[in-house]
């Protein structure tokens, strides 16, 4: 038994209530700053937040929008600078360059961009206009163009010398005080086909590259993994490799997921005090408070994390260790084929587990019962599947066609299921929902495009992975939600 | 007509029975003799009309050709059996997976033990078996060094060689062999006189534990005074009939008596480690499936090795102690892979896990069941992901060329414990946890 586990005893009932109160887990759709007590910074995310790194890669739920909102708010980004000691964050001035806000105010929304492009304005002029506008507002200058994006973009196209002059001036002024940082989030929603998105995204990236020669103007792009494939045309401009060679990924390790939960408990109105006291009395943990929020302790090690998890859930996923160890089982069952994890999954899983335990095992001697944990993970899978359908609607018809089949499947078995009609339905799903179609498949120039490319797209999306014997397998987080079965040799008696 | 072959006999028989009985066949037991000839037994009331019996027997006889024991013998009523219990309650009667209410009894010359129930759920004292399909994977060395680790943990262990040369060759020099060995004890056991005094003369303390708080004793396959080794070896597998119990006993039963006798010693060991030798044969089947021991399946990441394990697993699917849903006492919980001589890179380890999982998939529960059927059964399949802590999840032993030259006999040349630990990593603590605790699952590594 974990040594620390034997020292820790949490009150089952109050801890269960505290876990039921975990924050809501919807995807972040606004720029509203999160509570300080909800900001857990995984060690590896420091780089991603630093103004010096332009490209940040994150799958759905990895925190792209969350960090955009955190950076956008002065109080929260200062908090992160201090709490997580991220360099260069303390003195930034943040403006949003493209996001979910449809107001058309700080940046053109998707419809405006499309209409500008259709009237043959250059994509680079659009982004220059966005940048220039933010710069002039920062300098407190009157805008030399009328309101409305068309006026701004048209002015930029005809006054390139002045654009440069204003930006240099702004750079100078910023240098004396701070920095401007432009954030681009939700760039996948810029357009619904790869051709359009390539043009507009490339232009933004080129501008980002140009600005690297300035001292105080920086861009940061939060991009989906399928947008940073080096061989894609998005990156076919001079020196793009300078952007690509350092692209931190918003990666969550299993212990980071537990960190999210612990941070919540430490700040909980129900059990915060008890949790903090038990840990500081029984372990080496020391708490720090900043702006009213308790910080995640720095000196917390793996054994300690495991001990705390086991004090909440028990060590095993059943009555004995046979069914696995909770501490390793949970992350395994929440991860995709690339072993990627999302903090939303753990929040959801623990919340659901607490609710299940409350309803079904109210007298259980731990906060969470393993059956509840199992239910929580199923629930988290359902949400992950829903998110996948939202972001990549083309996946759904393909996986639906596999319902009832058993993985691993051979390529031929996949081909049998994915008929021409099924693939067409997949492509239609993308266009109806105004989302990007599968990247490789859409780019494949071969007539009657190749299914290999489509399979590669799913592998890239971590929905499928190739096994050593060249079949295709699927992680549980997607498999269960789509009613796909698992092969095996032992059958029930007949 | 093409002459029927061994492989087609069962399927042809089931097809013919299917034509006769449709979806609701009578309880059917197929008995395949040592040559492969088949007898079908069904209850007397399966068909009322004797002409019908004759017609079915004729059809089977014609279809099975040389594999039919004759048209009068191929189809038997339960009342035709001399002692029906010998068939219906046979320890070798296993469910035939591809047909409903159908059982198979396969009469084999060797390897009969694989599908039988374990003789005990818990061995009389903690026991671990090292098994491998191929030799040369470092199985013996690993168990010898594990014994050293256990001695360091103040444990008193006995290492048993199920065939020479094994651990004794690694741990004892010629002058320190005991007088007798396992074969001597086994041949005495064969005639019903398992002899504790003799057992003591078969074991010797190993110098490796001299400086440790614990104790290692070695029980080699033969000793200095052992005579007629090969002749004895040729006898130890023999099933014998014990008139006093009315039961047959074979190597597995005798090995269990060995464990019981070890457990009864006044200086009884804390654990027994059995080196079961490589390959699919009777020593393996007895030790792996029948003693209730924790079994370590050693494998290197090699195609042939995985293929052979796959064959073994396909066979074990029918074992009496293997059940869909994987209950508490299922054989599979007792087994776990050891990734032998594996490069210590993430890529090599991942590859091993993936291969091991693919192989184990043959032996894990299928989920290809309709939801209604699951509801009817009231059970769920036990499913594993590659990353899960199932039996496929290996303990890793690093590839270290120094290990081959480890000299455990000469105390001057003995490797440092640090060098041993470097090569074996977490194998010893993991294996010890499995051996000594009742929790059969293994930590992910």
């Amino acid at each position: 038994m974990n040594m620390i586990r034997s020292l820790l005893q949490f009150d089952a009932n109050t801890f269960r209530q505290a876990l039921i109160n975990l924050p809501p887990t919807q995807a972040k759709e606004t720029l509203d700053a999160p509570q300080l007590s909800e900001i857990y910074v995984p060690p590896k995310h420091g780089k991603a937040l630093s103004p010096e790194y332009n490209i940040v890669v994150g799958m759905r739920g990895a925190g792209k929008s969350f960090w955009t909102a955190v950076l956008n708010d002065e109080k929260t980004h200062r908090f992160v600078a201090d709490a997580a000691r991220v360099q260069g964050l303390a003195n930034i001035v943040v403006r949003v360059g493209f996001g979910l806000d449809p107001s058309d105010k700080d940046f053109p929304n998707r419809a405006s961009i499309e209409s500008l492009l259709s009237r043959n304005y250059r994509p680079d002029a659009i982004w220059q206009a966005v940048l220039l506008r933010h710069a002039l507002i920062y300098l407190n200058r009157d805008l030399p163009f009328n309101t409305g994006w068309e006026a701004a973009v048209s002015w930029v196209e005809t006054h390139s010398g002045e654009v440069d002059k204003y930006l240099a001036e702004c750079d100078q002024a910023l240098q004396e005080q701070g920095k401007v940082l432009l954030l681009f989030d939700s760039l996948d929603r810029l357009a619904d086909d790869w051709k359009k998105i390539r043009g507009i995204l490339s232009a933004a990236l080129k501008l980002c590259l140009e600005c690297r020669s300035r001292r105080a103007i920086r861009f940061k792009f939060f991009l989906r993994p399928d947008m940073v494939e080096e061989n894609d045309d998005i990156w076919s401009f001079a020196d793009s490799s300078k952007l690509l060679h350092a692209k931190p990924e918003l990666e969550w390790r299993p212990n980071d997921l537990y960190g999210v939960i612990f941070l919540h408990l430490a700040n909980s109105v129900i059990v915060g005090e008890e949790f903090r006291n038990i840990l500081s009395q029984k372990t080496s943990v020391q708490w720090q408070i900043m702006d009213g929020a308790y910080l995640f302790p720095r000196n917390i090690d793996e054994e300690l994390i495991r001990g705390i998890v086991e004090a909440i859930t028990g060590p095993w996923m059943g009555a004995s260790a046979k069914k696995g160890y909770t501490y390793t089982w949970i992350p395994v069952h929440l991860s995709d084929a690339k072993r990627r994890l999302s903090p939303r999954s753990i929040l959801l899983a623990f919340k659901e587990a607490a609710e299940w335990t409350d309803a079904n095992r109210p007298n259980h001697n731990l906060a969470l019962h393993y059956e509840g944990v199992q239910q929580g993970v199923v629930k988290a899978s359902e949400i992950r599947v829903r998110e996948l359908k939202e972001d990549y609607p083309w996946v759904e018809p393909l996986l639906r066609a596999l319902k009832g089949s058993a993985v691993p499947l051979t390529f031929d078995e996949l081909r049998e299921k994915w008929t021409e009609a099924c693939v067409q339905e997949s492509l239609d799903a993308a266009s109806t929902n105004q989302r990007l179609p599968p990247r490789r498949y859409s780019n494949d120039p071969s007539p009657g495009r190749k299914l290999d490319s489509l399979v590669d797209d799913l592998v890239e999306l971590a929905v499928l992975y190739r096994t050593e014997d060249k079949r295709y397998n699927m992680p549980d987080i997607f498999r269960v939600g789509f009613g796909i079965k698992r092969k095996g040799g032992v059958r029930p008696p007949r | 007509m093409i002459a029927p072959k061994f492989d087609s006999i069962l399927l042809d028989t089931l097809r013919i029975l299917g034509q006769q009985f449709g979806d609701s066949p009578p309880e059917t037991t197929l008995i395949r003799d040592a040559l492969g000839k088949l007898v079908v037994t069904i209850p007397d009331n399966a068909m009322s009309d004797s002409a019908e019996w004759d017609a079915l027997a004729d059809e089977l006889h014609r279809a099975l050709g040389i594999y039919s024991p004759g048209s009068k013998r191929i189809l038997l009523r339960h009342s035709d059996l001399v002692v029906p219990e010998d068939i219906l309650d046979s320890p070798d009667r296993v469910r035939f997976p591809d047909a409903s209410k159908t059982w198979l009894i396969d009469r084999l010359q060797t390897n009969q033990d694989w599908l039988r129930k374990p003789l005990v759920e818990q061995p009389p004292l903690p026991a671990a078996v090292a098994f491998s399909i191929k030799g040369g994977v470092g199985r013996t060395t690993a168990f010898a060094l594990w014994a050293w680790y256990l001695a360091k943990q103040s444990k008193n262990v006995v290492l048993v060689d199920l065939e020479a040369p094994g651990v004794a060759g690694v741990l004892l020099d010629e002058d320190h062999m005991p007088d007798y060995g396992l074969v001597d004890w086994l041949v005495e056991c064969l005639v019903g006189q398992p002899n504790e005094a003799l057992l003591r003369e078969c074991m010797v303390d190993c110098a490796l534990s001299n400086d440790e708080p614990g104790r290692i004793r070695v029980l080699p396959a033969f000793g200095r005074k052992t005579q007629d080794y090969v002749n004895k070896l040729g006898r130890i597998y023999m099933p014998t009939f014990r008139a006093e119990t009315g039961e047959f006993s074979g190597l597995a039963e005798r090995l269990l008596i060995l464990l019981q006798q070890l457990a009864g010693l006044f200086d009884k060991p804390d654990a027994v480690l059995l080196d079961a030798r490589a390959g699919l044969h009777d020593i393996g089947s007895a030790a792996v499936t029948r003693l209730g021991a924790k079994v370590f399946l050693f494998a290197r990441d090699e195609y042939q090795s995985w293929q052979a394990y796959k064959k073994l697993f396909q066979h074990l699917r029918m074992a009496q102690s293997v059940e869909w849903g994987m209950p508490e006492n299922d054989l599979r919980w007792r087994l776990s892979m050891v990734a032998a001589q594996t490069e210590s890179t993430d890529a090599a380890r991942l590859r091993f896990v993936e291969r091991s999982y693919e192989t184990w998939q043959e032996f894990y529960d299928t989920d290809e069941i309709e939801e209604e059927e699951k509801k009817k059964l009231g059970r769920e399949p036990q499913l594993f992901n590659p990353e899960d802590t199932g039996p496929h999840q290996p303990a890793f032993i690093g590839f270290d060329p120094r290990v081959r030259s480890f000299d455990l006999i000469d105390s001057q040349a003995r490797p440092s414990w640090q060098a041993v630990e470097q090569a074996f990593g977490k194998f010893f603590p993991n294996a010890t946890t499995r051996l000594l605790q009742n929790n059969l699952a293994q930590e992910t590594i």
Side-chain angles (χ1 to χ4, degrees), chain A residues 311-344:
Chain A
I312 296 170
T313 63
W316 307 319
M317 282 308 295
S320 73
K322 283 180 182 174
K323 308 260 165 159
Y325 293 84
T326 324
Y327 172 76
T328 48
W329 190 91
I330 294 172
V332 160
H333 288 257
L334 291 177
S335 65
D336 67 15
K338 294 185 176 171
R339 302 190 180 207
R340 293 182 306 204
L341 295 159
S342 143
R344 193 175 302 136

Side-chain angles (χ1 to χ4, degrees), chain B residues 152-351:
Chain B
K152 283 180 181 295
Q153 312 285 315
S154 306
K155 295 281 187 270
N156 175 352
V157 294
V158 172
L159 271 165
V160 182
D161 253 342
L162 293 183
E163 206 181 83
V167 278
V170 190
L171 290 175
L172 303 176
D173 66 33
E174 234 176 295
D175 303 337
H176 290 90
M177 293 284 278
D179 284 349
Y180 298 101
L182 182 64
V183 287
D184 300 298
W185 185 88
L186 283 171
V187 289
E188 295 302 327
C189 195
L190 205 60
V191 291
Q193 49 182 19
N195 187 328
E196 194 189 299
L198 174 61
L199 179 62
R200 292 175 188 289
E201 291 184 82
C202 295
M203 284 193 294
V204 71
D205 271 90
C206 170
L208 191 59
S209 62
N210 282 354
D211 302 328
E212 310 298 346
R215 180 182 188 191
I216 302 173
R217 275 175 287 180
V218 179
L219 202 170
F222 57 81
R224 278 185 300 193
K225 295 187 181 165
T226 300
Q227 311 221 343
D228 292 331
Y229 176 62
V230 178
N231 315 39
K232 285 173 178 163
L233 209 53
R235 291 188 159 81
I236 60 169
Y237 306 108
M238 203 191 314
T240 53
F241 183 70
R242 309 262 304 270
E244 60 273 33
T245 58
E247 273 169 17
F248 280 93
S249 91
L251 181 62
E253 285 80 358
R254 293 192 277 273
L255 288 176
L256 180 64
I257 295 171
L258 176 75
L259 295 184
Q260 283 160 346
Q261 214 159 70
L262 285 170
L265 294 177
F266 75 91
D267 49 358
K268 101 177 219 208
D270 298 310
V272 178
L273 310 184
L274 302 123
D275 188 7
R277 310 302 304 151
L280 301 176
H281 54 53
D282 287 358
I283 292 176
S285 63
V288 169
T289 53
R290 304 216 62 207
L291 300 178
K294 308 286 166 56
V295 181
F296 294 83
L297 305 172
F298 283 71
R300 262 199 315 245
D301 187 5
E302 290 164 335
Y303 178 75
Q304 299 91 324
S305 204
W306 293 124
Q307 289 307 102
Y309 269 116
K310 212 172 251 189
K311 295 272 180 258
L312 173 61
F313 290 165
Q314 283 164 353
H315 183 61
L316 285 175
R317 288 201 293 233
M318 283 196 285
Q320 297 202 351
S321 52
V322 169
E323 206 181 320
W324 189 76
M326 217 163 153
E328 214 44 28
N329 57 359
D330 195 285
L331 169 69
R332 290 167 289 177
W333 292 120
R334 297 185 205 282
L335 311 179
S336 68
M337 294 306 294
V338 176
Q341 301 170 346
T342 307
E343 294 287 346
S344 301
T345 61
D346 285 350
R349 288 174 167 221
L350 276 175
R351 200 178 113 102

Side-chain angles (χ1 to χ4, degrees), chain B residues 31-49:
Chain B
I31 305 148
R32 190 158 58 172
D33 75 8
L35 296 175
K37 293 189 195 248
L38 199 73
V39 171
V40 178
T41 65
I42 47 179
D44 292 36
N45 61 2
M47 287 176 290
S48 48
D49 185 350

Side-chain angles (χ1 to χ4, degrees), chain B residues 385-403:
Chain B
N385 279 334
E387 303 87 354
D388 277 332
T389 53
H392 71 277
Q393 193 64 248
F396 286 99
I397 295 177
F399 175 74
D400 189 333
R402 287 174 304 173
V403 172

